[in-house]
Amino acid sequence: MALSKIKRFFQKCAKALLGIFLTNEDLPYTATEFRDRISLSRFKLFIHVLVGLFWLLLLYILFISARFLATPDTLYNVTANSEIVTIDSYQDSAFVPWRLESAKRYAECGSETSNMSGELRIARDTSMYIERVGSGPLWITLSSDSLAPVGYLLTDSNERIELSDCEAFELTASHTQSYTLPIDGIMTVGGEVKEASVREPILHSGSVTISDKGALSRQYYQTDPYPLELGDKFFIKEPSVQSSGFIYIDENPGINITYNGKGDVGVIQRYKSEDIMLKNSIWTKLAHDESLIFLWLFLVAAFSFLKFIIRVNIE
């Protein structure tokens, strides 16, 4: 009795595994007759091995595809020229120390000024606003919502100067003096275009590209760049890691910034328009991952080949 049940179970499994090859075939057989004809073929062992390999390949491709397509994060590569960049600490991560040369310090964001050169170390719980309108000076404003010190300065004479809860620094760039400053944290590029305002710092131009690793090659691919237009504002919603990159300023207007970051979705805010959401969708992944496309095409070819082999051997 038990052996009879086991035999029927395997017969049903064989009918299910082999029955897929009846798809789109104009054959005068039921799935049971199709299975029985294969079992009477002298090449039945060869056919069963090929069918088994086909199902293993199908399961492998489904596993790879599901794992690849279910990846929640999107990697964004951002390049822009903007008059304002806002940086906040990601999950209380440390900021990169900056080397400042011939900078003017505005203590407590007031009128008390002093010239300094040295290393600026920024506290974790700090918001940073980097602003440069046109070809004017670069302004770095540091503030803390908790009224805690925003960091300290380590001067060239090895003197440590504690900072207040609000500090501003002014840097002048020219054809002989340029600055490259590394940045880490949560980035927002561009400012808001406001009504009844004479001049607000805004984004001039830029682009955002989406990157991801291929399912098999593990090499990065990039989508076509999405342009950032005059007055846009870009940020990554719900970032999963801190963004990293650098800013560069010289005698040319604005701030050049390049960075990459990961998160759920990239958001472009445009004046008096709906937000534009950039995300690495399933269709984007399928369209740009050549290795995954090749696997599915190979599976289709293997399916057609097996149908031909089986039909030749049972008729």
Side-chain angles (χ1 to χ4, degrees), residues 144-168:
S144 173
D145 292 336
S146 62
L147 303 182
V150 295
Y152 65 89
L153 289 169
L154 193 62
T155 66
D156 291 341
S157 58
N158 209 29
E159 178 187 3
R160 176 174 172 140
I161 302 174
E162 297 293 336
L163 303 177
S164 66
D165 64 312
C166 183
E167 297 280 341

Side-chain angles (χ1 to χ4, degrees), residues 20-311:
I20 190 176
F21 296 99
L22 280 172
T23 307
N24 297 327
E25 287 289 345
D26 186 21
L27 293 175
Y29 313 127
T30 63
T32 301
E33 292 172 337
F34 186 67
R35 178 202 63 197
D36 293 341
R37 278 180 168 269
I38 292 175
S39 66
L40 296 175
S41 172
R42 57 176 178 160
F43 298 106
K44 64 179 181 180
L45 180 60
F46 176 67
I47 293 174
H48 286 160
V49 169
L50 289 180
V51 171
L53 291 175
F54 170 82
W55 278 100
L56 288 175
L57 177 63
L58 175 59
L59 292 175
Y60 172 73
I61 294 177
L62 287 175
F63 172 75
I64 290 292
S65 300
R67 189 179 66 174
F68 174 63
L69 297 177
T71 303
D73 286 342
T74 299
L75 175 62
Y76 299 93
N77 299 294
V78 183
T79 302
N81 179 269
S82 178
E83 294 179 337
I84 184 168
V85 179
T86 304
I87 307 174
D88 291 301
S89 177
Y90 173 77
Q91 295 183 354
D92 205 29
S93 299
F95 289 102
V96 179
W98 283 349
R99 173 72 188 178
L100 303 181
E101 294 286 349
S102 303
K104 184 179 288 187
R105 176 195 172 198
Y106 292 78
E108 298 184 356
C109 294
S111 58
E112 181 184 342
T113 64
S114 60
N115 295 323
M116 55 79 58
S117 294
E119 190 175 272
L120 172 62
R121 292 187 174 269
I122 305 169
R124 297 171 186 265
D125 185 22
T126 301
S127 295
M128 189 185 319
Y129 304 90
I130 308 171
E131 183 178 330
R132 187 192 190 200
V133 177
S135 299
L138 178 75
W139 288 89
I140 301 171
T141 304
L142 309 176
S143 63
S144 173
D145 292 336
S146 62
L147 303 182
V150 295
Y152 65 89
L153 289 169
L154 193 62
T155 66
D156 291 341
S157 58
N158 209 29
E159 178 187 3
R160 176 174 172 140
I161 302 174
E162 297 293 336
L163 303 177
S164 66
D165 64 312
C166 183
E167 297 280 341
F169 299 88
E170 180 184 355
L171 299 174
T172 301
S174 64
H175 68 283
T176 59
Q177 180 66 62
S178 59
Y179 291 92
T180 301
L181 302 175
I183 49 176
D184 287 331
I186 302 174
M187 318 288 184
T188 301
V189 182
E192 295 182 8
V193 178
K194 300 178 181 178
E195 296 181 359
S197 176
V198 177
R199 183 70 166 90
E200 292 289 337
I202 60 173
L203 180 141
H204 284 189
S205 62
S207 64
V208 180
T209 57
I210 292 174
S211 299
D212 204 350
K213 284 184 178 180
L216 291 180
S217 64
R218 309 309 295 166
Q219 295 180 349
Y220 278 100
Y221 64 81
Q222 283 192 337
T223 63
D224 294 332
Y226 193 94
L228 297 175
E229 299 179 358
L230 183 68
D232 283 353
K233 183 178 181 180
F234 176 80
F235 60 91
I236 298 174
K237 188 177 180 181
E238 298 181 7
S240 57
V241 297
Q242 69 176 7
S243 299
S244 297
F246 64 91
I247 63 173
Y248 173 78
I249 63 167
D250 54 15
E251 74 275 12
N252 296 309
I255 304 166
N256 294 308
I257 177 172
T258 179
Y259 71 92
N260 59 74
K262 279 186 176 182
D264 181 58
V265 63
V267 182
I268 300 176
Q269 293 182 341
R270 191 160 287 169
Y271 181 62
K272 290 189 175 181
S273 178
E274 293 184 358
D275 291 350
I276 300 171
M277 304 297 183
L278 303 182
K279 189 175 178 65
N280 197 14
S281 65
I282 292 176
W283 307 116
T284 305
K285 293 181 178 184
L286 288 176
H288 290 86
D289 188 358
E290 296 177 355
S291 60
L292 197 61
I293 294 174
F294 172 79
L295 278 179
W296 281 104
L297 290 177
F298 180 79
L299 183 71
V300 172
F303 179 75
S304 301
F305 175 73
L306 270 177
K307 285 202 299 184
F308 173 75
I309 293 295
I310 293 173
R311 187 163 187 172

